[in-house]
Amino acid sequence: MSDEKPPADGSGKAPEPSGVDLARVALRAAREAARARGDAAQQKKQARRGGLRSGARTDRRDPMALGAAINRLLTERGWEAPAAVGGVMGRWPEIVGGDVAKHCEPERYDEDERVLVVRCDSTAWATNLRLLAPTLVARLNDDLGHGTVRLIKVVGPGGPARRFGPLRAPGSTGPGDTYG
């Protein structure tokens, strides 16, 4: 027996489905079509293997070359300027010349102040590099982009560790370690 009531108008036809009934019919038809194509089974199998795979076109999940991956990481993190300055530190002899590079080497770069600190092995070379600093800043900014390096701070050689007195006990930290 059918649960449906005969139409009230006496025409003998069932009423047209509408609203929720139309949605149910459409969903049922889509499920049957998908089952017929085998899509549901294939998606379940892919999900068990570790997720859906990318298709014929490239997207973020596809493997990429190491250089491209590093460039993407640098761009996403905003590390372009520090990486460029790091490249300058590797090419220092090409930029300043072999003679200067033998005696002066870049030590660090402060990104906030845009200052490159260079240590020299003698005060004479430190003085020489201070005189060349404006030219080097211009050359570095041409290579890296305008305003990347604002100032080159030249540091002379560090002196030997200070020792307090001619006699010293091994492992002591100076004259203060014997007082209390």
Coordinates of all heavy atoms in Angstrom, one line a residue, residues 64-157:
M64 N 59.2 20.4 -6.2 CA 59.9 21.5 -6.9 C 61.4 21.4 -6.7 O 61.8 20.8 -5.8 CB 59.3 22.9 -6.5 CG 59.5 23.2 -5.1 SD 59.0 24.9 -4.6 CE 57.4 25.0 -5.3
A65 N 62.1 22.1 -7.6 CA 63.5 22.1 -7.5 C 63.9 22.8 -6.2 O 63.2 23.7 -5.6 CB 64.1 22.9 -8.7
L66 N 65.1 22.5 -5.7 CA 65.6 23.0 -4.4 C 65.7 24.5 -4.5 O 65.3 25.3 -3.5 CB 66.9 22.4 -4.0 CG 67.5 22.8 -2.7 CD1 66.6 22.5 -1.5 CD2 68.9 22.2 -2.5
G67 N 66.3 25.1 -5.6 CA 66.4 26.5 -5.7 C 65.1 27.2 -5.6 O 65.0 28.3 -5.0
A68 N 64.1 26.7 -6.3 CA 62.8 27.3 -6.3 C 62.2 27.2 -4.9 O 61.5 28.2 -4.5 CB 61.9 26.6 -7.3
A69 N 62.4 26.1 -4.2 CA 61.8 26.0 -2.9 C 62.5 27.0 -1.9 O 61.8 27.7 -1.1 CB 62.0 24.6 -2.3
I70 N 63.8 27.2 -2.1 CA 64.5 28.2 -1.2 C 64.0 29.6 -1.5 O 63.8 30.4 -0.6 CB 66.0 28.0 -1.4 CG1 66.4 26.7 -0.7 CG2 66.7 29.2 -0.8 CD1 67.8 26.3 -0.9
N71 N 63.9 29.9 -2.8 CA 63.4 31.3 -3.2 C 62.0 31.5 -2.7 O 61.7 32.6 -2.2 CB 63.4 31.4 -4.7 CG 64.8 31.6 -5.3 OD1 65.8 32.0 -4.5 ND2 65.0 31.2 -6.5
R72 N 61.2 30.5 -2.7 CA 59.8 30.7 -2.2 C 59.8 30.9 -0.7 O 59.1 31.8 -0.1 CB 59.0 29.5 -2.5 CG 57.5 29.6 -2.1 CD 56.7 28.5 -2.8 NE 56.1 27.7 -1.8 CZ 55.6 26.5 -2.0 NH1 55.4 26.1 -3.2 NH2 55.1 25.8 -1.0
L73 N 60.7 30.2 0.0 CA 60.8 30.4 1.5 C 61.4 31.7 1.8 O 60.8 32.4 2.7 CB 61.8 29.3 2.0 CG 62.1 29.4 3.5 CD1 60.8 29.0 4.3 CD2 63.2 28.4 3.9
L74 N 62.4 32.2 1.1 CA 62.9 33.6 1.3 C 61.8 34.6 1.1 O 61.7 35.6 1.9 CB 64.1 33.8 0.4 CG 65.4 33.0 0.7 CD1 66.4 33.3 -0.4 CD2 65.9 33.3 2.0
T75 N 61.0 34.5 0.1 CA 60.0 35.4 -0.2 C 58.9 35.4 0.9 O 58.5 36.5 1.3 CB 59.4 35.2 -1.6 OG1 60.4 35.2 -2.6 CG2 58.3 36.2 -1.9
E76 N 58.5 34.2 1.2 CA 57.4 34.1 2.2 C 57.8 34.7 3.6 O 57.0 35.3 4.3 CB 57.0 32.6 2.4 CG 56.2 32.1 1.3 CD 56.0 30.6 1.4 OE1 56.4 30.0 2.4 OE2 55.3 30.0 0.6
R77 N 59.1 34.5 4.0 CA 59.6 34.9 5.3 C 60.1 36.4 5.3 O 60.4 36.9 6.3 CB 60.7 34.0 5.8 CG 60.3 32.6 5.9 CD 59.4 32.3 7.1 NE 58.8 31.0 7.1 CZ 59.1 30.1 8.0 NH1 60.0 30.3 8.9 NH2 58.5 28.9 7.9
G78 N 60.3 36.9 4.1 CA 60.8 38.3 4.0 C 62.3 38.3 4.3 O 62.8 39.3 4.9
W79 N 63.1 37.3 3.8 CA 64.5 37.2 4.1 C 65.3 37.6 2.9 O 66.5 37.2 2.8 CB 64.9 35.8 4.5 CG 64.3 35.4 5.8 CD1 63.9 36.1 6.9 CD2 64.2 34.0 6.3 NE1 63.4 35.4 7.9 CE2 63.6 34.1 7.6 CE3 64.5 32.8 5.7 CZ2 63.4 32.9 8.3 CZ3 64.2 31.7 6.4 CH2 63.7 31.7 7.7
E80 N 64.8 38.3 1.9 CA 65.5 38.6 0.7 C 66.8 39.4 1.0 O 67.8 39.1 0.5 CB 64.6 39.3 -0.3 CG 63.6 38.5 -0.9 CD 62.2 38.8 -0.2 OE1 62.2 39.4 0.8 OE2 61.2 38.3 -0.8
A81 N 66.6 40.5 1.8 CA 67.8 41.4 2.0 C 68.9 40.7 2.8 O 70.1 40.8 2.4 CB 67.3 42.7 2.7
P82 N 68.6 40.0 3.9 CA 69.6 39.3 4.6 C 70.3 38.2 3.8 O 71.5 38.0 3.9 CB 69.0 38.7 5.8 CG 67.7 39.5 6.0 CD 67.3 40.0 4.7
A83 N 69.5 37.6 2.9 CA 70.1 36.5 2.1 C 71.0 37.2 1.0 O 72.1 36.6 0.7 CB 69.1 35.7 1.4
A84 N 70.6 38.3 0.5 CA 71.5 39.0 -0.5 C 72.8 39.5 0.2 O 73.8 39.4 -0.5 CB 70.7 40.2 -1.1
V85 N 72.7 40.0 1.4 CA 73.9 40.5 2.1 C 74.8 39.3 2.4 O 76.0 39.3 2.3 CB 73.5 41.3 3.3 CG1 74.8 41.6 4.1 CG2 72.9 42.6 2.9
G86 N 74.2 38.1 2.7 CA 75.0 36.9 2.9 C 75.7 36.5 1.7 O 76.8 36.0 1.7
G87 N 75.1 36.7 0.5 CA 75.7 36.4 -0.7 C 76.9 37.3 -1.0 O 77.9 36.9 -1.5
V88 N 76.8 38.6 -0.5 CA 77.9 39.5 -0.7 C 79.0 39.1 0.2 O 80.2 39.2 -0.2 CB 77.4 41.0 -0.2 CG1 78.6 41.9 0.0 CG2 76.5 41.5 -1.3
M89 N 78.7 38.6 1.4 CA 79.8 38.1 2.2 C 80.6 37.0 1.6 O 81.8 36.8 1.8 CB 79.3 37.7 3.6 CG 78.8 38.9 4.4 SD 78.3 38.4 6.0 CE 77.8 39.9 6.7
G90 N 79.9 36.1 0.8 CA 80.5 35.1 0.1 C 81.3 35.5 -1.1 O 82.3 34.9 -1.5
R91 N 80.9 36.7 -1.7 CA 81.6 37.2 -2.9 C 82.5 38.4 -2.5 O 82.8 39.2 -3.4 CB 80.6 37.7 -3.9 CG 79.8 36.5 -4.5 CD 78.8 37.0 -5.6 NE 77.7 37.8 -5.0 CZ 77.5 39.1 -5.3 NH1 78.2 39.6 -6.3 NH2 76.5 39.8 -4.8
W92 N 82.8 38.6 -1.3 CA 83.6 39.7 -0.8 C 84.8 40.0 -1.6 O 85.1 41.1 -2.0 CB 83.9 39.5 0.7 CG 84.5 40.7 1.3 CD1 85.8 40.7 1.8 CD2 84.0 42.0 1.7 NE1 86.1 41.9 2.3 CE2 85.0 42.7 2.3 CE3 82.8 42.6 1.5 CZ2 84.8 44.0 2.7 CZ3 82.6 43.9 1.9 CH2 83.6 44.6 2.5
P93 N 85.7 39.0 -1.9 CA 86.9 39.3 -2.7 C 86.6 39.8 -4.1 O 87.3 40.7 -4.6 CB 87.6 37.9 -2.8 CG 87.1 37.1 -1.7 CD 85.7 37.6 -1.4
E94 N 85.5 39.4 -4.7 CA 85.1 39.9 -6.0 C 84.7 41.4 -5.9 O 84.9 42.2 -6.8 CB 84.0 39.1 -6.6 CG 84.3 37.7 -6.9 CD 83.0 36.9 -7.2 OE1 82.0 37.6 -7.6 OE2 83.0 35.7 -7.1
I95 N 84.1 41.8 -4.8 CA 83.5 43.1 -4.7 C 84.6 44.1 -4.3 O 84.7 45.2 -4.9 CB 82.4 43.1 -3.6 CG1 81.2 42.3 -4.2 CG2 81.9 44.5 -3.3 CD1 80.1 42.0 -3.1
V96 N 85.4 43.8 -3.3 CA 86.4 44.8 -2.9 C 87.8 44.6 -3.5 O 88.7 45.4 -3.4 CB 86.5 44.7 -1.3 CG1 85.2 45.1 -0.7 CG2 87.0 43.4 -0.8
G97 N 88.1 43.4 -4.1 CA 89.4 43.2 -4.6 C 90.2 42.2 -3.7 O 89.9 42.1 -2.5
G98 N 91.1 41.6 -4.3 CA 91.9 40.5 -3.6 C 92.7 41.1 -2.4 O 92.8 40.5 -1.4
D99 N 93.4 42.3 -2.7 CA 94.3 42.8 -1.6 C 93.5 43.2 -0.4 O 93.9 42.9 0.8 CB 95.0 44.1 -2.2 CG 96.0 43.7 -3.2 OD1 96.5 42.5 -3.2 OD2 96.3 44.5 -4.1
V100 N 92.4 43.9 -0.6 CA 91.6 44.3 0.6 C 90.9 43.1 1.2 O 90.9 43.1 2.5 CB 90.5 45.3 0.1 CG1 89.6 45.7 1.3 CG2 91.1 46.6 -0.5
A101 N 90.5 42.1 0.5 CA 89.8 41.0 1.0 C 90.8 40.2 1.9 O 90.3 39.5 2.8 CB 89.3 40.1 -0.1
K102 N 92.1 40.2 1.6 CA 93.1 39.5 2.4 C 93.1 40.0 3.8 O 93.4 39.3 4.8 CB 94.4 39.5 1.8 CG 94.6 38.7 0.6 CD 96.0 38.8 0.0 CE 96.1 38.2 -1.4 NZ 97.4 38.5 -2.0
H103 N 92.9 41.3 4.0 CA 93.1 42.0 5.3 C 91.8 42.5 5.9 O 91.8 42.8 7.1 CB 94.0 43.2 5.0 CG 95.3 42.9 4.5 ND1 96.3 42.3 5.3 CD2 95.8 42.9 3.2 CE1 97.4 42.1 4.5 NE2 97.1 42.5 3.3
C104 N 90.7 42.5 5.2 CA 89.4 42.9 5.8 C 88.3 41.9 5.4 O 88.2 41.6 4.2 CB 89.0 44.3 5.2 SG 90.3 45.6 5.5
E105 N 87.5 41.5 6.4 CA 86.4 40.6 6.1 C 85.1 41.1 6.8 O 85.2 41.6 7.9 CB 86.8 39.2 6.5 CG 87.0 39.0 8.0 CD 87.4 37.6 8.3 OE1 88.0 36.9 7.4 OE2 87.1 37.2 9.4
P106 N 84.0 40.9 6.1 CA 82.7 41.3 6.7 C 82.4 40.3 7.9 O 82.6 39.1 7.8 CB 81.7 41.1 5.6 CG 82.3 40.1 4.6 CD 83.8 40.3 4.8
E107 N 81.9 40.9 8.9 CA 81.7 40.2 10.2 C 80.2 39.9 10.4 O 79.8 38.8 10.6 CB 82.2 40.9 11.4 CG 82.6 40.1 12.5 CD 83.4 40.9 13.6 OE1 82.8 41.8 14.2 OE2 84.6 40.6 13.7
R108 N 79.4 40.9 10.2 CA 77.9 40.8 10.4 C 77.2 41.9 9.7 O 77.8 42.9 9.4 CB 77.5 40.7 11.9 CG 77.8 41.9 12.7 CD 77.4 41.8 14.2 NE 77.7 43.0 14.9 CZ 78.8 43.3 15.4 NH1 79.9 42.5 15.3 NH2 79.0 44.4 16.0
Y109 N 75.9 41.7 9.6 CA 75.0 42.7 9.0 C 73.8 42.9 9.9 O 73.1 42.0 10.3 CB 74.5 42.3 7.6 CG 73.5 43.2 7.0 CD1 73.9 44.4 6.5 CD2 72.2 42.8 6.8 CE1 72.9 45.2 5.9 CE2 71.3 43.6 6.2 CZ 71.6 44.8 5.8 OH 70.7 45.6 5.2
D110 N 73.6 44.2 10.3 CA 72.4 44.5 11.1 C 71.3 45.0 10.2 O 71.4 46.1 9.6 CB 72.8 45.6 12.1 CG 71.6 46.0 13.1 OD1 70.6 45.3 13.0 OD2 71.8 46.9 13.8
E111 N 70.2 44.2 10.0 CA 69.2 44.5 9.1 C 68.4 45.7 9.5 O 68.0 46.5 8.6 CB 68.3 43.3 8.9 CG 67.2 43.5 7.9 CD 66.3 42.3 7.8 OE1 66.5 41.3 8.5 OE2 65.4 42.3 6.9
D112 N 68.2 45.9 10.8 CA 67.4 47.1 11.2 C 68.1 48.4 10.9 O 67.5 49.3 10.5 CB 67.0 46.9 12.7 CG 66.2 45.7 13.0 OD1 65.4 45.3 12.1 OD2 66.4 45.1 14.1
E113 N 69.4 48.4 11.3 CA 70.1 49.6 11.1 C 70.7 49.7 9.7 O 71.2 50.8 9.3 CB 71.3 49.7 12.1 CG 70.8 49.7 13.5 CD 70.1 51.0 13.9 OE1 70.6 52.1 13.4 OE2 69.1 51.0 14.6
R114 N 70.7 48.6 8.9 CA 71.3 48.5 7.6 C 72.8 48.9 7.6 O 73.3 49.7 6.8 CB 70.6 49.3 6.6 CG 69.2 48.7 6.3 CD 68.4 49.5 5.4 NE 68.0 50.8 6.0 CZ 67.5 51.8 5.5 NH1 67.3 51.8 4.2 NH2 67.2 52.9 6.1
V115 N 73.5 48.3 8.6 CA 74.9 48.5 8.8 C 75.7 47.2 8.6 O 75.4 46.2 9.2 CB 75.2 49.1 10.2 CG1 76.7 49.2 10.5 CG2 74.5 50.4 10.4
L116 N 76.7 47.3 7.8 CA 77.6 46.1 7.5 C 78.9 46.4 8.4 O 79.6 47.4 8.2 CB 78.0 46.0 6.1 CG 78.9 44.9 5.7 CD1 78.3 43.5 5.9 CD2 79.3 45.0 4.2
V117 N 79.2 45.4 9.3 CA 80.4 45.6 10.1 C 81.5 44.8 9.5 O 81.4 43.6 9.2 CB 80.1 45.1 11.5 CG1 81.4 45.1 12.4 CG2 79.0 45.8 12.2
V118 N 82.7 45.4 9.3 CA 83.8 44.8 8.6 C 85.0 44.9 9.6 O 85.3 45.9 10.1 CB 84.2 45.5 7.3 CG1 85.4 44.9 6.6 CG2 83.0 45.5 6.4
R119 N 85.7 43.7 9.8 CA 86.8 43.7 10.7 C 88.1 43.6 9.9 O 88.2 42.8 8.9 CB 86.8 42.5 11.6 CG 88.0 42.5 12.6 CD 87.8 41.5 13.7 NE 86.7 41.7 14.6 CZ 86.7 42.6 15.6 NH1 87.8 43.4 15.8 NH2 85.7 42.8 16.3
C120 N 89.1 44.4 10.2 CA 90.4 44.5 9.5 C 91.5 43.9 10.4 O 91.4 44.0 11.7 CB 90.7 45.9 9.1 SG 89.5 46.6 7.9
D121 N 92.5 43.4 9.8 CA 93.6 42.8 10.6 C 94.6 43.8 11.1 O 95.5 43.4 11.9 CB 94.2 41.6 9.9 CG 94.9 42.0 8.6 OD1 94.9 43.2 8.3 OD2 95.4 41.1 8.0
S122 N 94.6 45.0 10.7 CA 95.5 46.0 11.2 C 94.8 47.4 11.1 O 93.9 47.6 10.4 CB 96.8 46.1 10.3 OG 96.5 46.6 9.0
T123 N 95.4 48.3 11.9 CA 94.8 49.6 12.0 C 95.0 50.4 10.6 O 94.2 51.2 10.2 CB 95.4 50.5 13.1 OG1 96.8 50.5 13.0 CG2 94.9 49.9 14.5
A124 N 96.1 50.1 9.9 CA 96.4 50.7 8.7 C 95.3 50.3 7.6 O 94.8 51.2 6.9 CB 97.7 50.3 8.2
W125 N 94.9 49.0 7.6 CA 93.9 48.6 6.7 C 92.5 49.1 7.1 O 91.7 49.4 6.3 CB 93.9 47.1 6.6 CG 94.9 46.6 5.6 CD1 96.1 46.0 5.9 CD2 94.8 46.6 4.2 NE1 96.8 45.7 4.8 CE2 96.0 46.1 3.7 CE3 93.9 47.1 3.3 CZ2 96.3 46.0 2.3 CZ3 94.2 47.1 1.9 CH2 95.4 46.5 1.5
A126 N 92.3 49.2 8.4 CA 91.0 49.8 8.9 C 90.9 51.2 8.4 O 89.8 51.7 8.0 CB 90.9 49.7 10.4
T127 N 92.0 52.0 8.5 CA 91.9 53.4 8.0 C 91.7 53.4 6.5 O 90.9 54.3 6.0 CB 93.3 54.1 8.4 OG1 93.5 54.0 9.8 CG2 93.2 55.6 8.0
N128 N 92.4 52.6 5.8 CA 92.2 52.5 4.4 C 90.8 52.2 4.0 O 90.2 52.8 3.1 CB 93.2 51.5 3.8 CG 93.2 51.5 2.3 OD1 92.8 52.5 1.6 ND2 93.7 50.4 1.7
L129 N 90.2 51.2 4.7 CA 88.8 50.8 4.4 C 87.8 51.9 4.8 O 86.8 52.1 4.1 CB 88.4 49.5 5.1 CG 87.2 48.9 4.6 CD1 87.3 48.4 3.1 CD2 86.8 47.7 5.4
R130 N 88.1 52.7 5.8 CA 87.2 53.8 6.2 C 87.2 54.9 5.1 O 86.2 55.5 4.8 CB 87.7 54.4 7.5 CG 87.3 53.7 8.7 CD 87.6 54.4 10.0 NE 87.5 53.5 11.1 CZ 88.5 52.9 11.8 NH1 89.7 53.1 11.4 NH2 88.2 52.1 12.8
L131 N 88.3 55.0 4.4 CA 88.4 56.0 3.3 C 87.6 55.4 2.1 O 87.1 56.2 1.3 CB 89.8 56.3 2.9 CG 90.7 57.0 4.0 CD1 92.1 57.1 3.5 CD2 90.1 58.4 4.2
L132 N 87.6 54.1 1.9 CA 86.9 53.5 0.8 C 85.4 53.2 1.0 O 84.7 52.8 0.1 CB 87.6 52.2 0.4 CG 89.0 52.2 -0.2 CD1 89.5 50.8 -0.3 CD2 89.0 52.9 -1.5
A133 N 85.0 53.4 2.3 CA 83.6 53.1 2.7 C 82.5 53.7 1.8 O 81.6 53.0 1.4 CB 83.4 53.4 4.1
P134 N 82.5 55.0 1.5 CA 81.5 55.5 0.7 C 81.4 54.9 -0.7 O 80.3 54.6 -1.3 CB 81.8 57.0 0.5 CG 82.7 57.3 1.7 CD 83.4 56.0 2.0
T135 N 82.5 54.6 -1.3 CA 82.6 53.9 -2.6 C 82.0 52.5 -2.5 O 81.2 52.0 -3.4 CB 84.0 53.8 -3.2 OG1 84.6 55.1 -3.1 CG2 84.0 53.3 -4.5
L136 N 82.4 51.8 -1.4 CA 81.9 50.4 -1.2 C 80.4 50.4 -1.0 O 79.7 49.5 -1.4 CB 82.6 49.8 0.0 CG 84.0 49.3 -0.3 CD1 84.6 48.7 1.0 CD2 84.0 48.3 -1.4
V137 N 79.9 51.4 -0.2 CA 78.4 51.4 0.0 C 77.7 51.6 -1.3 O 76.7 50.9 -1.5 CB 78.1 52.6 1.0 CG1 76.6 52.9 1.1 CG2 78.6 52.3 2.4
A138 N 78.2 52.5 -2.1 CA 77.6 52.7 -3.5 C 77.6 51.4 -4.3 O 76.6 51.0 -4.9 CB 78.2 53.8 -4.2
R139 N 78.7 50.7 -4.3 CA 78.9 49.5 -5.1 C 77.9 48.4 -4.5 O 77.3 47.7 -5.3 CB 80.3 49.0 -5.0 CG 80.6 47.9 -6.0 CD 82.0 47.4 -6.0 NE 82.9 48.5 -6.3 CZ 84.2 48.5 -6.2 NH1 84.8 47.4 -5.7 NH2 85.0 49.5 -6.5
L140 N 77.9 48.3 -3.2 CA 77.0 47.3 -2.6 C 75.5 47.6 -2.9 O 74.7 46.7 -3.2 CB 77.2 47.2 -1.1 CG 78.5 46.6 -0.6 CD1 78.7 46.8 0.9 CD2 78.5 45.1 -1.0
N141 N 75.1 48.9 -2.8 CA 73.7 49.2 -3.1 C 73.4 49.0 -4.6 O 72.2 48.7 -4.9 CB 73.4 50.6 -2.7 CG 73.3 50.7 -1.2 OD1 72.8 49.8 -0.5 ND2 73.6 51.9 -0.6
D142 N 74.4 49.2 -5.5 CA 74.1 48.9 -6.9 C 73.9 47.4 -7.1 O 73.0 47.0 -7.9 CB 75.3 49.3 -7.7 CG 75.4 50.8 -7.9 OD1 74.4 51.5 -7.7 OD2 76.5 51.3 -8.3
D143 N 74.6 46.6 -6.3 CA 74.5 45.1 -6.4 C 73.2 44.6 -5.7 O 72.6 43.7 -6.3 CB 75.7 44.5 -5.8 CG 75.8 43.0 -6.1 OD1 75.3 42.6 -7.2 OD2 76.5 42.3 -5.3
L144 N 72.9 45.1 -4.6 CA 71.8 44.6 -3.7 C 70.5 45.3 -3.9 O 69.4 44.8 -3.5 CB 72.2 44.6 -2.2 CG 73.5 43.8 -1.9 CD1 73.9 44.1 -0.4 CD2 73.3 42.4 -2.1
G145 N 70.5 46.5 -4.3 CA 69.3 47.3 -4.3 C 69.5 48.6 -3.5 O 70.2 48.5 -2.4
H146 N 68.9 49.7 -3.9 CA 69.2 50.9 -3.2 C 68.7 50.9 -1.7 O 67.6 50.5 -1.4 CB 68.4 52.1 -3.9 CG 68.7 53.4 -3.4 ND1 69.9 54.0 -3.4 CD2 67.9 54.3 -2.7 CE1 69.9 55.2 -2.8 NE2 68.7 55.4 -2.4
G147 N 69.6 51.3 -0.8 CA 69.3 51.5 0.6 C 69.5 50.2 1.4 O 69.2 50.2 2.6
T148 N 70.0 49.1 0.8 CA 70.2 47.9 1.5 C 71.3 48.1 2.6 O 71.2 47.6 3.7 CB 70.6 46.7 0.6 OG1 69.6 46.6 -0.4 CG2 70.7 45.4 1.3
V149 N 72.4 48.7 2.2 CA 73.5 49.0 3.1 C 73.6 50.5 3.2 O 73.8 51.2 2.2 CB 74.9 48.4 2.6 CG1 76.0 48.8 3.6 CG2 74.8 46.9 2.5
R150 N 73.4 51.0 4.4 CA 73.5 52.5 4.6 C 74.8 52.9 5.1 O 75.3 54.0 4.8 CB 72.4 52.9 5.7 CG 72.1 54.3 5.7 CD 71.1 54.6 6.8 NE 71.8 54.0 8.0 CZ 71.6 54.6 9.2 NH1 70.8 55.5 9.4 NH2 72.2 54.1 10.3
L151 N 75.5 52.0 5.8 CA 76.8 52.4 6.4 C 77.7 51.2 6.6 O 77.2 50.1 6.8 CB 76.5 53.0 7.8 CG 77.7 53.4 8.7 CD1 78.4 54.7 8.2 CD2 77.2 53.7 10.1
I152 N 79.0 51.4 6.4 CA 80.0 50.3 6.7 C 80.7 50.8 7.9 O 81.4 51.8 7.9 CB 80.9 50.1 5.5 CG1 80.2 49.5 4.3 CG2 82.0 49.2 5.9 CD1 81.0 49.3 3.1
K153 N 80.6 49.9 9.0 CA 81.3 50.2 10.2 C 82.6 49.4 10.2 O 82.5 48.2 10.1 CB 80.4 49.8 11.4 CG 81.1 50.1 12.7 CD 80.2 49.8 13.9 CE 80.9 50.0 15.2 NZ 80.0 49.6 16.3
V154 N 83.7 50.1 10.2 CA 85.0 49.4 10.2 C 85.6 49.2 11.6 O 85.6 50.2 12.4 CB 86.0 50.2 9.3 CG1 87.3 49.5 9.2 CG2 85.4 50.4 7.9
V155 N 85.9 48.0 11.9 CA 86.5 47.7 13.2 C 87.9 47.2 13.1 O 88.2 46.4 12.2 CB 85.6 46.5 13.9 CG1 86.1 46.2 15.3 CG2 84.2 46.9 13.9
G156 N 88.8 47.7 13.9 CA 90.2 47.4 13.8 C 90.4 46.0 14.5 O 89.5 45.4 15.0
P157 N 91.7 45.6 14.6 CA 92.0 44.3 15.2 C 91.7 44.4 16.7 O 91.9 45.4 17.3 CB 93.5 44.1 14.9 CG 94.0 45.5 14.7 CD 92.9 46.3 14.1

